[in-house]
Every structure is written in structure tokens, then in C-alpha cells.
Amino acid sequence: ACVLLSGMACVQVLFVRNGRILGSRSYFPRLMLEETVAEVVSAFAAQFYLSAEREVPPEILLAGNDVDDCVALLQDSLRQHTQRKIHVKTAARTHRQQWLEMALKAAQQNLQQRVASRENMETRFESLRDVLQLESVPERIECFDISHSSGEATVASCVVFDKQGARKSDYRRFNIEGITGGDDYAAMKQALTRRYRRLKDNEGVFPDILLIDGGKGQLTQAVEVLEELQIGGMLLVGVAKGSTRKAGFEQLFVHGET
């Protein structure tokens, strides 16, 4: 089942075997301008079954009368791919109709939640602009933190957010080597150097704001790395947790401000 709302799409897939629902999963494909439900379903199903090593079931049910136009094309594509007949249907009765209704309802609920989450994230970005007194709302934020695995191995984590929310595909972890144990300044410098040298060499996307977990010392490491790599255009912010380490009592250190 597919639902469109506020420029976003959700495709809900129910996996049914021998009359039993074995699972359900939501997908949020990028929506092209003025794309219809039929176009989204056709493109999604083709990619879902043809571009991955996934078993194509003998029968696929599609929810909604507005997907009728893609049935023949999808059925033909799957037949050529599998060399056997695949039944693609939009009409069902009894328990099969209930499956379609379940998929459609789940798609609606999941898309509504995603739209609300995006709107909430946009509000947070606007609040961040106000707090930092920025001229425009930031588009991308990267956050770095140093941790110690099992009390010894040092690991740096980079998480990325934009106005859509967390971009988990852009997350990175760096195993820190060749430093004195417990030297978080050296660990931060190594992680930042590896991250932004790679982005610079590959012409990657740089963040508008770089958040560093730590105070002035950690922030200084970030400043030095970006100066050495000759990278500009980023606002650098250190976030010190404070003595109580409770949320809401953090102190911000913004590069360029006293």
C-alpha cells in the first residue's frame, strides 16, 4: 500500500506466507515532483523485486484503485525477470482485503508520524538558529563525541542531522590509534582530520554547524584541524555538560565569540 502526504510517500509492505502475516515494513522513497501513487508503487516494486536478491512471490496485492495503471507493466517486468507468471492484483476479498486495509492503515499512520517528526525537526532547527543568532536556518549538522570501549579502546562517533532528521547512512565511527590512552584532545583531532580530509578529497557535503562534545579544549582541536585543512564556512560549537551533567545545564562555546 502507498500513501502520499505533504510531499512525502510511504510504502507499506506486508509479507504473507501460507495465509499468515510474517512481517511488515515501512519504506519512504523520495517523492518526485507531482508523482502519483501509481508511479511511486510501480517504481518502488520494480526496485524492490528486480534490483535485489529477493524472492519474488507468485502473487502481489496492491491496495487502492489508483494503482490499476501500473499493474500490467509491473506484471510484465516481473515475468521477464523471473521467467514465470506473477499475478499482480488490486482486488481482493475476505482476509485478503483485510490485509490490504491493514497495509493502507499502517502506511497512513507511519507517514503521518514521519511528517510530524519532520515538522518538529524543522522547528528545532529554527530554534537553534535563534539560540546561535544565525542569519539563516542551518541545513546540516555533524556532531562528534569521544568514548572509550571497555575502558581502553578509544572510539570517535560522528552523527549527522538535517531538517529531515537523523541521517544514519552518514553516521561514522573512527577507531582511534597511536595516541596516549585517555588523551581525548588527540583523539578528537585525529577523528576530525580523518573525517574532513576525506570529505575535502571526495568533494563531500560539509555541515553548516559542527558540534563538539566538550569545552574550549575540544573546540580548539576542531579549529586547528579546519585551519590546517583550509576548510571554512562552518560554525563550530563546543557543548560542555557542566558539573551536574544534567540536560539543560550545558554551556556552549562558539568559535569566534568570547
Side-chain angles (χ1 to χ4, degrees), residues 19-154:
R20 296 179 58 190
I21 298 177
L22 300 184
S24 177
R25 185 171 179 182
S26 302
Y27 298 86
F28 300 91
R30 290 187 177 274
L31 190 62
M32 304 299 290
L33 186 63
E34 297 182 355
E35 200 169 12
T36 65
V37 168
E39 290 170 336
V40 173
V41 168
S42 180
F44 172 84
Q47 182 177 5
F48 188 75
Y49 289 113
L50 303 183
S51 64
E53 295 182 358
R54 179 178 283 110
E55 178 187 359
V56 181
E59 186 175 6
I60 299 173
L61 302 180
L62 306 179
N65 297 324
D66 45 3
V67 296
D68 289 338
D69 294 341
C70 72
V71 169
L73 178 61
L74 180 58
Q75 196 163 249
D76 185 58
S77 298
L78 294 176
R79 180 186 58 79
Q80 294 182 30
H81 176 68
T82 61
Q83 296 299 308
R84 56 187 174 85
K85 189 172 182 59
I86 304 297
H87 298 277
V88 181
K89 302 178 180 179
T90 60
R93 296 180 179 179
T94 62
H95 57 284
R96 294 185 172 215
Q97 179 60 32
Q98 293 177 355
W99 295 339
L100 292 178
E101 292 173 356
M102 290 173 59
L104 186 60
K105 185 176 181 179
Q108 292 170 339
Q109 293 175 341
N110 291 328
L111 185 54
Q112 288 171 354
Q113 292 176 0
R114 194 173 183 89
V115 169
S117 176
R118 184 179 71 173
E119 292 174 349
N120 183 44
M121 186 60 66
E122 290 177 349
T123 300
R124 293 184 179 189
F125 268 65
E126 292 172 356
S127 298
L128 184 61
R129 177 194 60 183
D130 295 339
V131 169
L132 298 177
Q133 299 181 352
L134 305 176
E135 293 184 359
S136 58
V137 178
E139 297 289 332
R140 183 182 175 97
I141 301 173
E142 295 195 355
C143 316
F144 275 79
D145 181 31
I146 303 297
S147 60
H148 302 275
S149 177
S150 301
E152 297 181 358
T154 303

Side-chain angles (χ1 to χ4, degrees), residues 215-225:
K216 292 183 178 180
Q218 294 286 35
L219 185 61
T220 298
Q221 304 306 310
V223 173
E224 291 179 355
V225 168

